[in-house]
């Protein structure tokens, strides 16, 4: 691993981390959309998938301007968040409860991305990479907007989950012996 000696080195390292994070999400979002029961949530995940592809393209544009390759770093944090999302997908939960859990997993991802894009945007501004800073600000705003949409969806979905809007799955769960229930 090369030594990170300058802010420019740190900037490139952080961009690579975000690039890998976004490419992991391009693979994970369709799975989350498929697992969602709410049409609003399903459509939100698919909409964010298209945005995420745009985030990848913006990062590739920044790397091209820097004459750098985007590869070479695995985002371990995103790998962990994606793994948590996969565990959520596999949960045996009532539909509205599962959707609430999917939103929780997605918001963890959004908050990680918001922190990452805020950092690299500030690096870009400090380094005088004005065009990159504008692209990064655009992506940062999309991540903030997605987080707000998830919060709005959660208000409805959490209420459904709390009111027992679980449907038939809830009745099936009650028929199972208590020892087989997930904790």
């Amino acid at each position: 691993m090369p030594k990170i000696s300058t802010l420019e080195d740190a900037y490139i390292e952080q961009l690579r981390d975000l690039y890998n994070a976004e490419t992991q999400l391009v693979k994970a979002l369709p799975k989350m959309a498929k697992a969602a029961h709410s049409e609003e949530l399903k459509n939100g995940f698919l909409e964010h998938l298209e945005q995420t592809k745009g985030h990848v393209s913006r990062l590739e544009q920044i790397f091209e301007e820097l004459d750098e390759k985007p590869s070479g770093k695995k985002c371990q944090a995103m790998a962990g968040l994606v793994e948590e999302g996969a565990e959520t997908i596999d949960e045996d939960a009532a539909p509205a409860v599962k959707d609430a859990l999917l939103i929780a997993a997605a918001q963890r991802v959004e908050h990680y991305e918001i922190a990452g894009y805020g950092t690299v945007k500030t690096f870009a501004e400090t380094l005088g990479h004005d065009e990159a800073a504008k692209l990064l600000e655009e992506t940062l705003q999309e991540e903030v907007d997605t987080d707000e949409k998830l919060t709005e969806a959660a208000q409805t979905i959490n209420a459904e989950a709390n009111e027992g809007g679980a449907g038939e799955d809830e009745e099936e769960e009650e028929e199972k012996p208590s020892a087989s229930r997930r904790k």
Side-chain angles (χ1 to χ4, degrees):
M1 188 179 297
K3 183 177 180 181
I4 299 174
S5 302
T6 65
L7 186 61
E8 183 85 14
D9 294 343
Y11 172 60
I12 292 167
E13 177 81 2
Q14 291 297 300
L15 287 170
R16 284 187 175 129
D17 188 76
L18 282 169
Y19 181 80
N20 182 265
E22 294 287 21
T23 58
Q24 288 183 55
L25 283 178
V26 167
K27 295 175 185 169
L29 282 166
K31 295 172 187 171
M32 292 188 74
K34 185 177 180 185
H37 292 89
S38 158
E39 282 302 312
E40 176 188 7
L41 186 57
K42 187 180 300 277
N43 291 335
F45 285 143
L46 293 174
E47 179 183 315
H48 195 58
L49 172 61
E50 293 309 309
Q51 275 188 337
T52 301
K53 290 175 183 177
H55 301 167
V56 169
S57 294
R58 284 187 201 128
L59 288 167
E60 288 170 344
Q61 182 180 342
I62 293 168
F63 280 110
E64 191 174 309
E65 291 171 9
L66 292 169
D67 199 28
E68 292 282 343
K69 293 186 185 211
S71 59
K73 173 131 177 88
K74 179 169 182 173
C75 180
Q76 297 295 339
M78 188 58 72
L81 290 169
V82 166
E83 176 60 30
E84 282 188 16
E87 289 172 6
T88 299
I89 288 169
D90 292 339
E91 285 291 340
D92 181 15
V97 174
K98 181 173 265 191
D99 283 353
L101 291 169
L102 288 169
I103 290 171
Q107 285 195 289
R108 284 185 185 92
V109 167
E110 292 311 308
H111 291 201
Y112 177 78
E113 289 180 304
I114 289 166
Y117 279 106
T119 298
V120 294
K121 182 189 88 138
T122 302
F123 285 178
E125 290 169 344
T126 301
L127 294 164
H129 297 299
D130 298 333
E131 189 57 37
K134 288 177 189 171
L135 292 171
L136 294 165
E137 173 60 33
E138 191 176 340
T139 299
L140 176 59
Q141 191 54 58
E142 289 175 358
E143 300 294 8
V144 168
D145 292 346
T146 296
D147 182 54
E148 289 172 1
K149 288 176 185 176
L150 286 165
T151 296
E152 288 172 18
Q155 291 170 343
T156 303
I157 290 168
N158 291 350
E160 289 173 12
N162 189 42
E163 292 170 6
E168 295 174 21
D169 288 354
E170 188 175 79
E171 293 169 15
E172 290 171 16
E173 182 67 24
E174 290 173 6
E175 293 172 13
K176 293 179 185 177
S178 61
S180 67
R181 289 190 179 162
R182 286 190 138 200
K183 299 195 185 229

